[in-house]
Amino acid sequence: MITQLPILQVVIPLIAAPLMVLLRHGTAAWLLAVGVSWASLAIALGLLSEVAGGGLVSYALGSWPPPWGIEYRVDSVNAYLAVIVSMVAAVVVVYMRRSVAEEVPQEHHYLFYSMYALCLAGLLGIALTGDGFNMFVFFEISSLATYVLIALGRDRRALMAAYQYLIMGTIGATFFVIGVGLLYLMTGTLNLADMAARLPDVTDPRPVLAALAFITVGVSLKLALFPLHLWLPNAYAYAPSAVTAFLAATATKVSVYVLLRFYFSVFGETAVFRALPTGSILLALSLAAVFVASVVAIFQGNVKRMFAYSSVAQIGYITLGVSFDSATGLTAGIVHLFNHALTKGALFLLLGGIALRAAAMRFDDLRGMGRLMPLTSFGIVLGGLSLIGVPGTVGFVSKWYLVVAALEQGAWWIAFLVVAGSLLALAYVWRFVEAAYFHAPDPKMAAGPGEAPLSMLVPAWLMIAACVYFGLDTGLTLGGAGEAAQVLLKGKW
Amino acid sequence: MVTGATAIILALAVPSVGAALIACAHRAPNLRETVTLVTATILFAVVASIAPEVLAGARPQARLLEVMPGLEIAFTVEPLGMLFALVATSLWIVTSLYSIGYMRGNHESHQTRYYACFALSLASAVGIAFAGNLFTLFLFYEALTLITYPLVTHHGTDEARRAGRLYIGMLVGTSIVFLLVAIIWTWTVAGTIEFEAGGILRGKTSNTTIGGLLALYIFGIGKAAVMPIHRWLPAAMVAPTPVSALLHAVAVVKAGVFTVVKVVVYVFGVDAIAGLKSVDWLPFIAGFTIIAASIVALRSDNLKRRLAYSTISQLSYVVFAAALLTPLSVMGAALHIAAHAFGKITLFFAAGSIYTAAHKTQVSELDGIGRRMPWTMGAFAVGSLSMIGLPPAVGFVSKWYILSGAMASEQWGAVAVLVAGTLLSAGYLLPIVYRAFFVRAAAAGAAHEAHGEAPLSIVVALSVSALATVALFLFPDTLLALSRQLAGTG
């Protein structure tokens, strides 16, 4: 059974998706989705414990031994990622029931859950597969499902946002597959570990460089690295609340993983960071992401969009950690992957509660929310503090490591920029605080229902509680990230 | 017998539990206020129970958890922290008493939130006082800023919101951009952030780095209100007076100067940086703040604003004393934390008392008010004496040591600043006392007929704090013993 875990991780949600379509029943599909998500979490945790301490699990699909067949290759890096994805899924799926019931037409419910299962399968597939082309396939599976999920948003602009994302996402995927194709051309293999072993023997470096460029740009589109982030704000703002929370916490994180995997495990740290100015480029773009996106966030009129821009900035912090190309920097980036997934997932879940009342999500609609929905509002404040990086929250842990990583390299000006970015976060988080707590509620709103339903509040607060818990007890998150960083820097997969 | 470690945990837990109970009792105001008073009393008892150990030379410790490798939430009670905790917790009892009269007398809203936040801010202040390393200190420092935000913006008006922006923006801003970087830098340079007698940076890095780090600390600790990081303090005066009294004369601002002294003594080491060229700018900045803030105070007609600028000026005495880098002046710095707290809280109490009874906020309206409110203005006079540094008030003791330090090390410029500061503080405080008692209320005199003294709990509270100001002058033994231990002159 243990040996089958890697494939079960992917196949269970993959099979559940068509089953849901056959069921044609919203509630049944939801129950199935809950089962699938929780099973995924159990499997991911099983895998993580299996590979803890530098272990490696290799699974040959259809018993075709690698490098001929497709291999699923799990080490502590992607096991950690699978845990993040399935953990978020396990929480969000509980929340979905009420939120989707409010935001998506009844007749589409089973399709919604089916798409959600597909998306989950795709994301987990990307995480676990050790095969370049298979990775592309899962990219497409998750992306196509995502386009549909976004388009199901009740705002008509959701259609446009989904279309925008479709165009950008397709360009990204195409770039990615071109890159993988070039690598296949030069090495004759699609198995990533095998590819890494053969790359040093390639005599003509130009196609390999081109492959690196294509993959970098393609994946950067997917992970919304500034300035390739333009699809993200609209997609997050207009998608159904549960979808935004799920995507914000998982999709971009998985793409970051792909970038890390290719940089460190396929091309190798030397080729990417020593021979090329990748580090400096990444550094510049990351800092630009932090500042430009944060400033834009401050001036948004729509709360969801504001936090979407904040996501772009926070992704900047993740890639900033990567750009240092050091153990500390990589640890900072990877731990922020987890921390930001938690924080932003929680925030979007809570915003979903507000969306029940004020669909437009404009700041004006938030007046008096502190009184109308005290738990939701206070949760958002706590999540916001984590974005700022106040000690006692997960955001602080990430920031601490980023600053240490910067100072290690003697780059004190980067250290200052990192913390200065927090001030911008303070500015946009405080807009929420002032809107929610300094105005009397609109009488129209006050007449509406009170707090968000428990089935939404409990999952959201679970994640907020985790934001604080993992801000104080970092053994698991930081330990996992540190180990992942070590594995990546070792180079061999 | 409660051991030191348990007492430390209790000192954090008591106000936190108190806050929860206060929140639970929101429908029963009398019960709620009783909970506040009982919590404050228990907290003081717990904190005081640690004092004998510390005075005997022990350093009780408590370790909670390791957040990151090498970063612990840990507490160590040393003399300076003991002193700060004693001051803050004893004055909380008095302030609670005062709050009851003030909040009811002025029909303030959201009183439950007020009392709960107050309790939590005391928990944060105790956390700062007992912090065993920079990380723990930073954690509670930020917590204190955030938990006092609802108190500063208590009235929810546009003015309160703007003040709140300034408050959060400046305090969180400076702490993240300067203080956090300074702490992490210290960590990478010294390899530890535990407070240690003699300083952890001693011999670890170049003099230039020391200078840079000191600048980051001084401007990062915005709560110390060294110019130009002082604007938040007068803005925060928009809060109800008890908040201004306890937080912006005692807990918050003292947390700032406490941190400065703590960093100078335990991170840099007084004798390790004495005489360094790269740190000799600090007395100038602090001295400038003393003089400049006093001049602004002199020109303010609004009573609370005048007191706020007086606070800025007096806080810089502490920073200034620490910056003189002599054992005697460090002793003076520690003493002044306590001395200013008792004197200034009395002044704020009096200002709030005047507002409650007479609804007056301007100095120019106070002619003859001493006849109507003899207790209030009598206490105000005592507080003023302490601010100026005259006997029989405790302010004299701390000024004495600061001056002795300056003279002993022959820093005549410093002596001049101290003398000028003293004259200026006499200049902005004594005229108020004079007006109140010796100027007859002129045309507006009829207005005075309408009121007498403030509510009883207010009068009791300000009399107690005024008495304490005198008592500490007469019996300064505990304060002296603690500050001697800190400065190593005992």
Side-chain angles (χ1 to χ4, degrees):
Chain A
M1 180 66 186
I2 292 288
T3 51
Q4 306 292 329
L5 283 183
I7 189 68
L8 284 175
Q9 179 94 84
V10 181
V11 156
I12 291 178
L14 198 62
I15 292 182
L19 266 181
M20 289 170 187
V21 181
L22 290 176
L23 283 170
R24 296 185 73 87
H25 188 282
T27 310
W30 175 69
L31 283 173
L32 193 55
V34 171
V36 165
S37 308
W38 288 0
S40 295
L41 179 60
I43 294 170
L45 288 172
L47 273 175
L48 186 67
S49 69
E50 193 74 4
V51 299
L56 183 77
V57 173
S58 168
Y59 180 88
L61 215 63
S63 296
W64 291 92
W68 293 282
I70 293 174
E71 183 194 16
Y72 282 11
R73 206 172 165 87
V74 188
D75 61 8
S76 39
V77 187
N78 44 7
Y80 185 74
L81 184 81
V83 168
I84 297 181
V85 171
S86 50
M87 184 193 68
V88 172
V91 176
V92 173
V93 76
V94 177
Y95 172 98
M96 274 181 181
R97 175 110 185 86
R98 269 307 291 277
S99 176
V100 169
E102 297 277 344
E103 295 183 22
V104 178
Q106 176 75 37
E107 66 271 22
H108 288 153
H109 282 184
Y110 72 98
L111 287 173
F112 178 94
Y113 290 114
S114 168
M115 285 302 139
Y116 159 75
L118 267 187
C119 184
L120 180 63
L123 294 174
L124 290 170
I126 299 170
L128 296 195
T129 186
D131 183 280
F133 191 76
N134 198 233
M135 199 179 259
F136 165 71
V137 172
F138 280 122
F139 245 134
E140 285 298 271
I141 292 178
S142 71
S143 301
L144 291 172
T146 308
Y147 306 142
V148 180
L149 286 172
I150 293 173
L152 284 172
R154 57 185 156 177
D155 194 311
R156 283 182 58 189
R157 282 170 290 189
L159 288 176
M160 202 58 208
Y163 187 68
Q164 220 178 359
Y165 185 22
L166 181 129
I167 304 275
M168 299 294 257
T170 308
I171 296 174
T174 312
F175 271 48
F176 179 74
V177 82
I178 292 174
V180 172
L182 283 168
L183 287 176
Y184 177 58
L185 200 70
M186 301 311 292
T187 58
T189 180
L190 281 168
N191 183 298
L192 295 179
D194 193 32
M195 202 182 267
R198 285 163 193 270
L199 267 176
D201 302 331
V202 172
T203 44
D204 184 3
R206 196 164 295 167
V208 177
L209 274 184
L212 178 61
F214 271 112
I215 289 173
T216 301
V217 175
V219 177
S220 297
L221 256 166
K222 285 284 189 186
L223 70 82
L225 177 65
F226 182 87
L228 303 174
H229 65 282
L230 294 173
W231 59 269
L232 186 143
N234 281 338
Y236 281 16
Y238 302 123
S241 307
V243 174
T244 308
F246 181 63
L247 288 183
T250 56
T252 46
K253 314 293 175 279
V254 169
S255 306
V256 172
Y257 158 76
V258 173
L259 199 66
L260 289 176
R261 189 53 98 192
F262 269 91
Y263 277 5
F264 291 92
S265 304
V266 176
F267 290 104
E269 181 217 356
T270 331
V272 178
F273 287 100
R274 306 279 163 79
L276 294 169
T278 318
S280 322
I281 296 171
L282 211 51
L283 177 76
L285 292 179
S286 306
L287 289 175
V290 169
F291 283 92
V292 177
S294 298
V295 170
V296 175
I298 295 173
F299 294 101
Q300 291 303 310
N302 177 316
V303 195
K304 230 173 145 189
R305 247 175 102 91
M306 179 183 89
F307 281 118
Y309 271 104
S310 147
S311 275
V312 177
Q314 298 288 328
I315 290 166
Y317 282 120
I318 297 175
T319 49
L320 180 69
V322 176
S323 78
F324 288 126
D325 179 34
S326 67
T328 319
L330 216 48
T331 307
I334 296 173
V335 83
H336 197 49
L337 209 75
F338 181 90
N339 292 344
H340 181 242
L342 218 51
T343 311
K344 210 37 93 46
L347 279 171
F348 279 123
L349 287 183
L350 289 166
L351 285 179
I354 291 182
L356 293 186
R357 232 174 217 288
M361 304 296 288
R362 306 206 45 91
F363 270 100
D364 293 344
D365 303 332
L366 293 179
R367 285 165 179 269
M369 272 304 161
R371 206 171 309 164
L372 296 177
M373 307 176 82
L375 286 171
T376 303
S377 305
F378 188 58
I380 295 177
V381 173
L382 286 183
L385 293 180
S386 179
L387 283 182
I388 298 167
V390 169
T393 62
V394 286
F396 178 74
V397 179
S398 317
K399 220 136 274 180
W400 179 280
Y401 265 75
L402 274 174
V403 173
V404 170
L407 288 179
E408 258 181 12
Q409 311 209 330
W412 52 269
W413 60 276
I414 299 178
F416 276 111
L417 289 178
V418 169
V419 291
S422 304
L423 289 193
L424 296 175
L426 179 69
Y428 59 72
V429 168
W430 230 253
R431 283 195 65 198
F432 174 82
V433 172
E434 293 191 350
Y437 289 95
F438 282 88
H439 295 284
D442 197 318
K444 246 196 344 259
M445 295 277 234
E451 223 3 302
L454 273 186
S455 67
M456 292 168 69
L457 213 50
V458 171
W461 264 90
L462 204 65
M463 286 182 89
I464 287 288
C467 278
V468 175
Y469 176 80
F470 288 114
L472 292 173
D473 179 5
T474 58
L476 211 62
T477 54
L478 209 53
E483 198 179 309
Q486 292 302 334
V487 168
L488 282 174
L489 283 172
K490 220 167 54 196
K492 272 173 68 95
W493 191 18
Chain B
M1 179 64 194
V2 187
T3 62
T6 327
I8 294 171
I9 304 298
L10 267 179
L12 291 164
V14 166
S16 313
V17 173
L21 290 177
I22 289 167
C24 290
H26 67 108
R27 289 193 197 287
N30 289 330
L31 178 64
R32 181 184 65 200
E33 267 85 305
T34 312
V35 171
T36 301
L37 281 172
V38 170
T39 311
T41 315
I42 296 177
L43 176 63
F44 177 68
V46 170
V47 169
S49 77
I50 312 176
E53 269 185 77
V54 178
L55 283 167
R59 298 287 176 266
Q61 290 194 336
R63 298 187 175 278
L64 270 192
L65 72 159
E66 188 171 47
V67 171
M68 288 181 249
L71 286 191
E72 269 186 307
I73 299 187
F75 302 94
T76 308
V77 186
E78 44 70 58
L80 185 64
M82 192 68 242
L83 187 142
F84 175 43
L86 281 174
V87 170
T89 55
S90 62
L91 287 175
W92 186 31
I93 305 177
V94 189
T95 311
S96 301
L97 196 63
Y98 182 89
S99 293
I100 297 169
Y102 184 91
M103 298 302 276
R104 293 186 176 185
N106 287 306
H107 309 291
E108 297 276 356
S109 57
H110 297 105
Q111 293 197 20
T112 303
R113 183 181 75 193
Y114 169 88
Y115 286 110
C117 287
F118 229 124
L120 287 175
S121 47
L122 257 292
S124 312
V126 171
I128 294 173
F130 291 167
N133 56 42
L134 281 167
F135 168 68
T136 311
L137 194 147
F138 186 69
L139 178 76
F140 285 100
Y141 183 97
E142 295 293 64
L144 183 58
T145 311
L146 294 171
I147 205 69
T148 49
Y149 176 77
L151 292 172
V152 170
T153 58
H154 186 85
H155 293 134
T157 55
D158 272 348
E159 193 196 355
R161 194 181 64 191
R162 273 194 302 275
R165 260 187 209 178
L166 203 59
Y167 188 75
I168 280 287
M170 287 193 86
L171 290 185
V172 174
T174 52
S175 71
I176 288 185
V177 175
F178 301 128
L179 183 56
L180 179 60
V181 173
I183 292 173
I184 300 179
W185 198 353
T186 305
W187 197 50
T188 50
V189 169
T192 174
I193 48 173
E194 299 278 324
F195 295 119
E196 269 171 38
I200 50 175
L201 282 169
R202 176 190 296 269
K204 292 274 174 51
T205 181
S206 72
N207 291 346
T208 331
T209 311
I210 293 277
L213 271 172
L214 186 68
L216 285 180
Y217 276 116
I218 296 296
F219 296 114
I221 303 168
K223 291 195 174 109
V226 173
M227 283 182 176
I229 320 279
H230 67 284
R231 290 285 304 281
W232 61 270
L233 207 162
M237 291 300 140
V238 59
T241 306
V243 175
S244 309
L246 186 66
L247 298 175
H248 302 115
V250 185
V252 172
V253 292
K254 289 297 145 48
V257 287
F258 163 80
T259 309
V260 170
V261 177
K262 190 129 182 169
V263 164
V264 168
V265 175
Y266 293 100
V267 174
F268 289 100
V270 174
D271 50 335
I273 57 168
L276 281 192
K277 270 239 166 305
S278 55
V279 302
D280 62 3
W281 49 269
L282 184 54
F284 289 96
I285 300 271
F288 174 79
T289 308
I290 292 176
I291 306 291
S294 298
I295 293 172
V296 178
L298 205 55
R299 297 164 55 90
S300 310
D301 190 37
N302 183 300
L303 183 56
K304 270 181 92 176
R305 188 177 146 86
R306 183 175 290 199
L307 294 181
Y309 272 95
S310 156
T311 300
I312 296 172
S313 162
Q314 297 284 333
L315 289 175
S316 271
Y317 273 90
V318 179
V319 178
F320 187 72
L324 293 180
L325 298 170
T326 67
L328 279 177
S329 67
V330 168
M331 237 183 110
L335 288 170
H336 202 62
I337 289 179
H340 174 245
F342 282 91
K344 190 48 73 57
I345 205 167
T346 309
L347 295 181
F348 272 116
F349 281 170
S353 171
I354 294 168
Y355 176 73
T356 309
H359 302 288
K360 294 207 164 39
T361 53
Q362 307 297 327
V363 173
S364 52
E365 301 170 342
L366 299 182
D367 291 354
I369 200 165
R371 288 153 202 268
R372 293 269 148 213
M373 310 179 72
W375 289 94
T376 299
M377 290 321 291
F380 191 95
V382 173
S384 303
L385 291 182
S386 188
M387 283 304 109
I388 301 163
L390 294 175
V394 62
F396 172 74
V397 183
S398 56
K399 281 256 170 83
W400 176 270
Y401 278 95
I402 301 175
L403 259 176
S404 312
M407 287 183 175
S409 57
E410 303 189 342
Q411 303 187 47
W412 303 116
V415 174
V417 167
L418 290 168
V419 171
T422 302
L423 290 178
L424 282 167
S425 56
Y428 61 74
L429 285 171
L430 290 183
I432 302 175
V433 180
Y434 178 79
R435 265 176 194 280
F437 285 109
F438 302 109
V439 177
R440 274 191 183 282
H448 282 313
E449 301 302 322
H451 71 87
E453 264 296 359
L456 183 66
S457 77
I458 290 185
V459 175
V460 171
L462 60 83
S463 308
V464 168
S465 66
L467 265 181
T469 311
V470 177
L472 284 173
F473 168 77
L474 299 172
F475 311 103
D477 305 334
T478 309
L479 288 181
L480 284 176
L482 286 172
S483 47
R484 267 206 197 98
Q485 279 195 26
L486 170 77
T489 53

